[in-house]
Amino acid sequence: MMGKTAIKQALPDAKLEQISPFLLLHHFGPTKVAPGNDPLGVGPHPHRGFEPITFLYQGGIRHKDSRGNEGFLSGGDVQWMTAGLGIIHSEYASKEFLQEGGTMEGIQLWVNLPSTDKMAQPAYQDIKRERIPSWTEDQGRVTHRLVAGQFADKQGPARTFTPLMALQTELEAGGETFVPIPSTFNAFLYILGGEVEINGDQHFFGEMLVQFGNSGDGFTLKGVSAAQVLVLAGEPIHEPVAQWGPYVMNTQTELLEAMRDYQMGKMGVYIE
Ligand code: MN
């Protein structure tokens, strides 16, 4: 397919099944295309049992689903979806992006739901860039954007089922910050681009996932070059994970039910 975006799958990988409650992280792009090309183009497909989230860094996406939601994302916007008991959705390049062409880049993240919330009512949070608290540190060399959870006295706008934090951090070369993380949280970061130094000694590069141990109260992050980082941390869900394609449940039986319910139309009807 022409102009299809390269997808880097940082999670899961051969050595790492999940970093509970985080199940999957895909980095798509940056892909530059001429007008008329859709480098994303994901047609209608179902989900159940978790929350699929899109952080769009550059480009334009149009979301549509079987629960009557339609959303348009541009650079900096976040779409936080609760699949819950079932949703069918599509993600295509927006009309504006198709007309003008440009660069598409984003992150898709799957956050698991605890068994008590797997069959929650589906929901769609369309979080525009302006709603995300943003502040700078270290003389403007560090910019944080808090999408979910708490950082000092700030609160991210995304509603979540379990305690977690999603923080977008942009560093200039030399810019340094301390990111507080509750010791009960699992934590990792994904580097979209650039080189960073963590806790004063270790260096990591673009398109790498760095997982932290559950000790201490946070970590220091310094830009060796200009760098873009997504920090994710959350209270782990200590339950079995049964996954088949787009469904994430606790047991095989529940997966079979999900397939059956989808075929019976219980996840709603997607109408283009
Ligand atoms: Mn999806």
Side-chain angles (χ1 to χ4, degrees):
M1 201 183 282
M2 234 184 72
K4 199 70 186 170
T5 297
I7 292 177
K8 280 84 63 171
Q9 174 163 315
L11 187 75
D13 80 358
K15 284 179 240 155
L16 202 55
E17 234 172 72
Q18 61 163 335
I19 302 174
S20 183
F22 306 99
L23 300 164
L24 172 146
L25 188 149
H26 284 176
H27 178 197
F28 56 92
T31 304
K32 194 173 179 183
V33 294
N37 291 290
D38 183 346
L40 187 68
V42 188
H45 59 278
H47 289 299
R48 170 179 281 184
F50 67 100
E51 299 196 295
I53 297 138
T54 303
F55 301 84
L56 189 64
Y57 283 81
Q58 307 180 67
I61 292 179
R62 177 238 195 189
H63 158 99
K64 198 166 167 59
D65 68 46
S66 58
R67 304 293 176 177
N69 302 299
E70 187 176 21
F72 296 91
L73 287 83
S74 45
D77 296 343
V78 175
Q79 152 186 303
W80 199 289
M81 203 166 86
T82 306
L85 62 85
I87 199 162
I88 302 165
H89 79 137
S90 68
E91 286 174 295
Y92 293 112
S94 63
K95 208 160 87 184
E96 293 73 17
F97 186 87
L98 286 172
Q99 274 165 7
E100 291 159 28
T103 303
M104 191 81 87
E105 182 180 22
I107 290 210
Q108 301 223 316
L109 177 75
W110 289 12
V111 176
N112 204 0
L113 287 171
S115 55
T116 47
D117 296 314
K118 282 193 178 296
M119 297 297 269
Q121 281 303 316
Y124 179 74
Q125 302 177 60
D126 189 356
I127 304 170
K128 294 286 178 245
R129 185 186 183 93
E130 308 77 67
R131 279 183 57 211
I132 301 171
S134 170
W135 70 99
T136 62
E137 289 179 7
D138 199 7
Q139 292 147 350
R141 294 187 296 178
V142 178
T143 304
H144 290 302
R145 303 174 71 237
L146 184 62
V147 177
Q150 287 163 326
F151 186 123
D153 58 340
K154 314 262 193 323
Q155 175 71 52
R159 291 187 309 275
T160 68
F161 283 81
T162 56
L164 61 85
M165 180 177 84
L167 178 75
Q168 298 175 301
T169 300
E170 218 177 310
L171 302 143
E172 287 177 20
E176 193 170 353
T177 182
F178 178 77
V179 180
I181 306 279
S183 59
T184 55
F185 279 19
N186 285 340
F188 70 101
L189 58 79
Y190 178 78
I191 305 161
L192 288 96
E195 181 181 354
V196 299
E197 185 184 271
I198 295 172
N199 288 331
D201 52 3
Q202 291 184 291
H203 284 218
F204 298 94
F205 300 88
E207 300 175 3
M208 279 184 80
L209 183 153
V210 182
Q211 188 183 10
F212 295 98
N214 298 69
S215 58
D217 52 2
F219 59 91
T220 61
L221 185 61
K222 186 177 176 180
V224 177
S225 66
Q228 183 101 251
V229 169
L230 176 63
V231 179
L232 296 159
E235 198 85 57
I237 298 168
H238 300 287
E239 292 176 4
V241 174
Q243 186 187 341
W244 186 85
Y247 311 124
V248 183
M249 304 302 290
N250 298 112
T251 67
Q252 294 297 317
T253 306
E254 289 167 349
L255 289 177
L256 291 170
E257 283 166 8
M259 292 174 217
R260 187 199 60 202
D261 287 352
Y262 169 60
Q263 304 215 307
M264 288 174 71
K266 288 187 180 174
M267 297 187 186
V269 180
Y270 178 92
I271 298 160
E272 188 56 50

